[in-house]
């Protein structure tokens, strides 16, 4: 697995994704907990937690959350937020989602913002799902979102440029994606510039390899890892069935 979310990219992460509706996604997670949970949800494991966008909000809603990420730089930002909020219900650990073992069971496991998609090979996907199952009691819920294969092949990735205004200037992010259809992968090259007074003072580049998924393979992966798929819905409009215009889908699965 390539090293991604290094220092410079992580420093700009929350600004780049400042428009992401973490509040709405946490409300959706709560709704799905109530709809599909066999028991009340109190403890949540957030695999691939990043800078803690979901973890902190869920902590504020009264859940105990343990967030795990392999990027030291991302965790540093998550810890900084935790100190500012002073919420002891949220903790962060460094770990790889493919091999993590906290020797603890949770009521629910999250893998949000395409964390499962960063597991490129079949072995990686199964290892991450096995980690989720290892940390769930029977009946526990797994929620994750991924790129939806039919739409990726229909729309295909292209060039995207995003400009974010900051207090001292701008952040410019350019993204270029190329498909490997045999392996169900999209290689996305990100370039990020930090500008002050129109002058570039910092530049970073990362290659993110993202896997996209099809319904039947997800169902098979989940079954092999000890889950049953309960629903695959459009994301974030979960109650809508996915179609070839749905780039992201969310899956709810139960540990069996």
């Amino acid at each position: 697995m390539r090293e991604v979310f290094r220092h410079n990219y992580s420093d700009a992460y929350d600004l780049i994704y400042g428009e992401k509706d973490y509040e709405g996604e946490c409300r959706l997670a709560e709704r799905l907990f109530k709809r599909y949970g066999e028991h009340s949800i109190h403890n949540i494991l957030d695999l691939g937690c990043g800078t803690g966008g979901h973890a902190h909000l869920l902590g504020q809603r009264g859940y105990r959350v343990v967030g795990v990420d392999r990027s030291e730089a991302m965790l540093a930002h998550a810890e900084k937020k935790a100190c500012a909020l002073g919420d002891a219900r949220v903790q962060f650990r460094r770990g790889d989602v493919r091999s993590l073992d906290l020797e603890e069971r949770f009521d629910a496991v999250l893998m949000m913002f395409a964390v499962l998609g960063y597991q490129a090979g079949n072995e990686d996907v199964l290892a991450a799902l096995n980690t989720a199952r290892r940390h769930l009691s029977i009946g526990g819920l797994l929620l994750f979102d991924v790129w939806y294969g039919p739409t990726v092949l229909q729309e295909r990735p292209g060039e995207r440029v995003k400009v974010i205004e900051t207090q001292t200037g701008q952040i410019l992010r350019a993204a270029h994606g190329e498909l490997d259809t045999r392996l169900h992968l999209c290689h996305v090259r990100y370039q990020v510039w930090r500008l002050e007074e129109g002058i570039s003072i910092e530049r970073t580049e990362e290659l993110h390899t993202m896997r996209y998924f099809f319904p039947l393979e997800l169902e098979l992966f989940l079954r092999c890892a000890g889950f049953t798929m309960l629903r695959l819905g459009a994301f974030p409009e979960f109650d809508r069935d996915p179609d070839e215009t749905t780039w992201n889908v969310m899956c709810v699965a139960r540990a069996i």
Side-chain angles (χ1 to χ4, degrees):
M1 182 182 293
R2 299 177 185 271
E3 189 65 33
V4 293
F5 300 115
R6 300 188 302 272
H7 175 71
N8 290 344
Y9 194 93
S10 297
D11 287 347
Y13 184 88
D14 283 336
L15 291 171
I16 292 172
Y17 298 106
E19 297 177 356
K20 184 173 175 60
D21 187 10
Y22 286 102
E23 285 276 5
E25 292 177 15
C26 288
R27 287 196 300 271
L28 173 59
E30 278 198 302
R31 182 158 62 90
L32 299 180
F33 291 162
K34 293 175 182 176
R35 181 186 300 180
Y36 295 104
E38 294 184 340
H39 310 286
S40 297
I41 307 294
H42 301 287
N43 301 302
I44 300 172
L45 176 61
D46 185 3
L47 294 175
C49 64
T51 62
H54 297 101
H56 290 300
L57 290 174
L58 290 168
Q60 291 171 12
R61 290 171 176 266
Y63 299 94
R64 174 182 172 262
V65 185
V66 176
V68 176
D69 205 282
R70 70 193 301 263
S71 167
E72 286 189 47
M74 297 286 272
L75 285 176
H77 288 283
E79 293 279 11
K80 185 176 180 180
K81 293 179 189 176
C83 290
L85 292 170
D87 191 348
R89 288 168 294 192
V90 180
Q91 300 174 318
F92 295 99
R93 312 272 184 87
R94 189 179 182 210
D96 191 317
V97 301
R98 297 168 298 178
S99 56
L100 179 75
D101 189 353
L102 299 178
E103 298 183 347
E104 182 181 355
R105 297 293 179 95
F106 295 80
D107 304 315
V109 172
L110 304 182
M111 287 194 285
M112 300 297 292
F113 215 170
V115 167
L116 191 63
Y118 278 91
Q119 320 311 312
N122 289 345
E123 297 83 0
D124 300 312
V125 174
L126 277 173
L129 292 175
N130 283 332
T131 294
R133 180 63 188 86
R134 185 162 55 246
H135 290 87
L136 281 170
S137 302
I138 294 175
L141 293 182
L142 168 63
L143 277 62
F144 63 89
D145 64 288
V146 292
W147 290 6
Y148 189 53
T151 303
V152 174
L153 296 182
Q154 173 76 13
E155 296 188 356
R156 308 187 77 84
E159 301 278 355
R160 292 173 294 156
V161 176
K162 187 173 187 178
V163 179
I164 303 99
E165 301 294 333
T166 69
Q167 292 182 341
T168 58
Q170 294 176 319
I171 291 175
L172 176 66
R173 190 198 69 175
H176 172 73
E178 294 184 356
L179 291 184
D180 181 336
T181 55
R182 188 182 75 82
L183 297 179
H184 297 182
L185 298 177
C186 180
H187 303 288
V188 186
R189 188 171 301 279
Y190 290 110
Q191 298 181 77
V192 179
W193 293 266
R194 188 183 295 272
L195 308 176
E196 291 188 5
E197 298 181 355
I199 300 173
S200 175
I201 63 169
E202 186 178 87
R203 177 183 177 278
T204 187
E205 182 174 319
E206 292 193 356
L207 181 64
H208 293 213
T209 296
M210 302 294 300
R211 180 158 179 166
Y212 49 91
F213 294 89
F214 297 84
L216 290 180
E217 68 171 333
L218 277 177
E219 190 172 355
L220 180 59
F221 276 132
L222 287 165
R223 189 182 307 130
C224 290
F227 290 95
T228 183
M229 181 191 289
L230 301 178
R231 175 165 170 79
L232 187 69
F235 182 65
E237 305 90 1
F238 182 76
D239 292 326
R240 181 172 65 84
D241 291 334
D243 56 32
E244 291 184 357
T245 67
T246 310
W247 192 277
N248 295 87
V249 291
M250 173 172 266
C251 181
V252 181
R254 177 176 293 129
I256 56 176

